[in-house]
Amino acid sequence: GASMRVVAPMLEAGSLPNLAALAQSGVHGTIRSQFPIDSPPVWNSIVTGVSPKRHGIPSFAYKDDAGEKRLFLSTHRKVPAVWNILSQAGFSVGVVNFWNTYPPDRVSGVMISDHVLAREVAGRAMISRAEAPQPGTTVYPEAWAERIDGLLGEKTPLTHVANPFRNNEKLPKWVLKRDLVRRYEEDAALARIALAIEHEVRPDLMMVLLPGVDRVSHHLWGNLEPPEKYPPRLRPDDEARAAGLTALQDYYRYVDAILGLL
């Protein structure tokens, strides 16, 4: 969900030091994506290297033999993901919250399924009007389950960047602040889980998907646009628009701080 429209000026201003270090030591730019730009087919193409037609997950949901819509699961992936390939080759992996990792694969290391966040799964089922699977084990190996529950409940601050949505009354009226406060907390929880795996397992490959930038942008992206692009009933005043843009940039700073920890 990260956009160079936000990233580029912040890099230039020195606001994203950890992302800047990655960019300077590698390659960065705007990527061409799969179409339609839905998360399940795109992320599964990223981890398999093949098209949605080949990997078998073209959308959020499918119709079963009875005509009922159901969310796609890891068992629908037709080709190995990078964590399967590396595990089979004798390398260790840590995988946290990647799309369609429920039920979790038996990897050489630790996999925390994207279904570890129950409200996230409920949201996917709602927008696709599909049935979510019955809750089950979201962690492999299961010995990590109790520890993950504790990390999900941890509330101490992870970074120096405060939650930009908590008690922020200046944001545009359409922003669902309670939802965005939760996104901040969930990204912190996922990062804590990844750090715990790194500390204990030190896997050859660590993959952690922090969805907050994407989710926050659904609410705040419009604050980059000039006011005349809004319909009159939704047009924010200058103070609300500035507050929305600041909150969006603060969230990028927050994720940059998490990157620094990782």
Side-chain angles (χ1 to χ4, degrees), residues 4-63:
M4 292 302 288
R5 281 185 65 189
V6 181
V7 170
M10 294 187 73
L11 286 175
E12 192 171 335
S15 301
L16 305 173
N18 297 298
L19 195 60
L22 289 173
Q24 289 163 8
S25 63
V27 178
H28 69 280
T30 301
I31 61 171
R32 182 181 294 123
S33 189
Q34 295 283 348
F35 288 91
I37 306 179
D38 288 336
S39 296
V42 170
W43 281 105
N44 278 282
S45 289
I46 289 170
V47 299
T48 62
V50 301
S51 69
K53 185 176 182 179
R54 285 186 61 194
H55 64 58
I57 301 180
S59 61
F60 283 87
Y62 68 99
K63 284 188 177 181

Side-chain angles (χ1 to χ4, degrees), residues 178-194:
R178 184 181 301 176
D179 181 64
L180 298 193
V181 166
R182 174 170 65 88
R183 301 300 184 180
Y184 175 100
E185 294 170 347
E186 287 176 347
D187 271 0
L190 294 169
R192 284 192 189 92
I193 291 169

Side-chain angles (χ1 to χ4, degrees), residues 71 98 136 152 157:
L71 293 179
F98 264 73
L152 288 171

